[in-house]
Amino acid sequence: MAKKILCVVMTVVFLLSSVIVAPATADDPTAIGNGFTNVIFSNEYRGFCLDRYKSGAYIGDVFTPTDTSKATNNINNGDISQKLKIFFTQCFDDLFVYDGISNYSLKDNVGGTPTDSLIQQIIYHFVGEQDYIWGMQKTLVERVNSYTGTEIPDNGYILTLSSGDTVTFYFLVMQSNKDNQQDFFAYKIVTNEKPTHKCEFPEQWESDEDSHWHECECGEKADEKEHSGGEATC
């Protein structure tokens, strides 16, 4: 029995680990930023480079997905994964826009700067390759540094947006199998179903010739009653 249980446990561990380490290829990195910014990978993640002094990604290059603890700075190899996850989630409304169909994508620009470039420069700041920040960069970096919420996990972080909708974030580091090539801090956004609408009824009455009621902006009616007390004179 003990051997059977051990076998089952090892099988589960193997299956879980295989999800993490299955190699992924760079699908279309040359379309944006010459293979450095918002690179598309075959596992549906997009990534930004972690070391500007290494070469970018090219179509077909192989990467190994790992946990985000592999995201380190270039000063003392300190873990910067929390900073980067805070950046993507707590600055979400500034960086992303809903496409009107089903997904969120990067805005064209933020504060007059192309968004993918803005994100890359902020990541470089946390990596330690750029000390000077200004304008929107400074605003977003300060927001990250002042965050006091709970630790953000790599997988399944649910973010409630200002619109009331929710999205789920997943994070990885895409490790290159080449010594002189970038590793990428990668993200995936899953758009969740819109939360159930909760009606709010104003004090103002709506009416027709037969009845009156309170009405939510969605059209739902409450307190509907037929008129009474005789014919109205005003």
Side-chain angles (χ1 to χ4, degrees):
M1 175 63 80
K3 288 184 177 180
K4 185 179 291 186
I5 293 173
L6 179 60
C7 181
V8 171
V9 170
M10 292 300 292
T11 301
V12 171
V13 170
F14 172 77
L15 290 174
L16 289 175
S17 63
S18 66
V19 172
I20 296 174
V21 301
T25 56
D27 269 7
D28 188 16
T30 57
I32 305 175
N34 297 317
F36 291 93
T37 61
N38 213 30
V39 169
I40 305 168
F41 295 96
S42 59
N43 58 358
E44 299 181 345
Y45 282 74
R46 288 176 175 266
F48 288 82
C49 67
L50 287 167
D51 187 343
R52 64 159 37 122
Y53 299 110
K54 292 186 176 182
S55 64
Y58 297 91
I59 294 175
D61 286 347
V62 178
F63 294 82
T64 299
T66 65
D67 66 79
T68 61
S69 67
K70 303 300 181 182
T72 59
N73 67 38
N74 288 343
I75 300 171
N76 58 10
N77 289 322
D79 183 354
I80 58 169
S81 61
Q82 269 304 305
K83 293 287 188 182
L84 301 187
K85 287 185 284 187
I86 290 167
F87 171 48
F88 276 92
T89 57
Q90 305 311 302
C91 301
F92 183 91
D93 285 332
D94 292 289
L95 304 176
F96 294 91
V97 62
Y98 188 61
D99 65 8
I101 303 173
S102 60
N103 298 308
Y104 285 86
S105 57
L106 291 182
K107 292 181 178 180
D108 290 337
N109 68 78
V110 177
T113 303
T115 310
D116 58 341
S117 176
L118 175 74
I119 291 174
Q120 190 62 75
Q121 294 303 318
I122 290 176
I123 290 176
Y124 284 154
H125 169 78
F126 287 118
V127 169
E129 296 175 356
Q130 175 177 315
D131 294 325
Y132 179 70
I133 54 173
W134 57 278
M136 182 57 73
Q137 286 177 277
K138 188 172 187 293
T139 297
L140 299 182
V141 166
E142 288 176 348
R143 188 182 305 170
V144 171
N145 288 334
S146 64
Y147 176 78
T148 57
T150 57
E151 185 171 300
I152 296 173
D154 281 1
N155 297 306
Y157 177 77
I158 298 175
L159 176 68
T160 300
L161 309 179
S162 58
S163 63
D165 295 342
T166 62
V167 296
T168 303
F169 262 97
Y170 297 86
F171 297 99
L172 292 170
V173 165
M174 305 294 287
Q175 282 195 305
S176 173
N177 61 353
K178 302 176 183 177
D179 290 338
N180 64 341
Q181 187 177 43
Q182 298 285 342
D183 292 338
F184 289 80
F185 186 82
Y187 69 95
K188 181 170 68 172
I189 302 169
V190 176
T191 305
N192 303 327
E193 290 185 10
K194 196 169 184 176
T196 303
H197 172 70
K198 183 179 180 180
C199 286
E200 295 184 4
F201 299 99
E203 293 184 5
Q204 177 184 341
W205 290 93
E206 302 293 335
S207 64
D208 58 23
E209 61 182 14
D210 299 315
S211 59
H212 51 278
W213 63 88
H214 295 295
E215 186 171 320
C216 175
E217 62 179 8
C218 72
E220 183 76 18
K221 296 179 180 180
D223 308 318
E224 186 170 11
K225 298 178 181 178
E226 292 184 357
H227 299 317
S228 62
E231 184 177 352
T233 59
C234 61

